[in-house]
Amino acid sequence: MGDQAVTGSGDAPAPERTPDATGEDAAAAAGGGTAAPGPTSAGMTADGTPAAPADVSGAGMSADATPAAPAAAPPAPGPQERTSDITAGPGGVMTDEVGVVTGDLTLRTEYADGQVTLRVQYKDADEWYAVTGGRVPLADPAALDAVHTVAVALLNRPEG
């Protein structure tokens, strides 16, 4: 550190001197004499009693307290699916297994291993068929609802 200006009362410059780096001048002024050696702390006390730990909730901070353990990471997303009943339009829905299916169908949008797959079945039937061209990569599984909504909008044509 270099020399710093020291000011007196009213911000008037003090006589030529350097700042008191040891604090002895302040101790002498307060109680006459030199400061007693002893432990120092960055925390402040008024009567020599250590301050109680303080919690600053919501700020993610605490004073003199042990930090909280970080929250556990959410589990990796596994297979997910969304289903909706639809009515295929005049051209129907092309499937890999049986060709075109028409009428009242159930659409299932599945997410697994970074891929979305669209499948349809006749309403209340047991067999599911993969929609031709209905498999694409999906980086964020949170987008599954949006993909399903778009698929329903494209394939549901109750009025032709």
Side-chain angles (χ1 to χ4, degrees):
M1 292 177 75
D3 290 341
Q4 298 176 359
V6 178
T7 58
S9 63
D11 290 331
E16 288 289 73
R17 51 184 296 210
T18 58
D20 176 24
T22 65
E24 289 180 14
D25 289 345
T34 61
T40 60
S41 171
M44 297 180 163
T45 61
D47 59 3
T49 306
D55 180 25
V56 185
S57 298
M61 298 182 286
S62 62
D64 300 326
T66 56
Q80 301 176 42
E81 63 182 50
R82 306 290 185 269
T83 59
S84 295
D85 291 336
I86 63 170
T87 301
V93 176
M94 178 63 80
T95 66
D96 294 342
E97 297 86 359
V98 296
V100 176
V101 292
T102 60
D104 293 330
L105 307 171
T106 300
L107 171 69
R108 181 170 70 196
T109 307
E110 304 170 341
Y111 173 82
D113 301 324
Q115 296 280 317
V116 170
T117 303
L118 301 178
R119 297 185 191 280
V120 292
Q121 72 175 174
Y122 288 104
K123 192 168 173 158
D124 299 321
D126 293 329
E127 301 84 18
W128 287 94
Y129 308 112
V131 173
T132 301
R135 182 175 179 94
V136 296
L138 182 65
D140 184 1
L144 181 63
D145 288 332
V147 172
H148 182 71
T149 299
V150 169
V152 168
L154 291 171
L155 299 175
N156 187 35
R157 299 283 178 240
E159 297 177 21

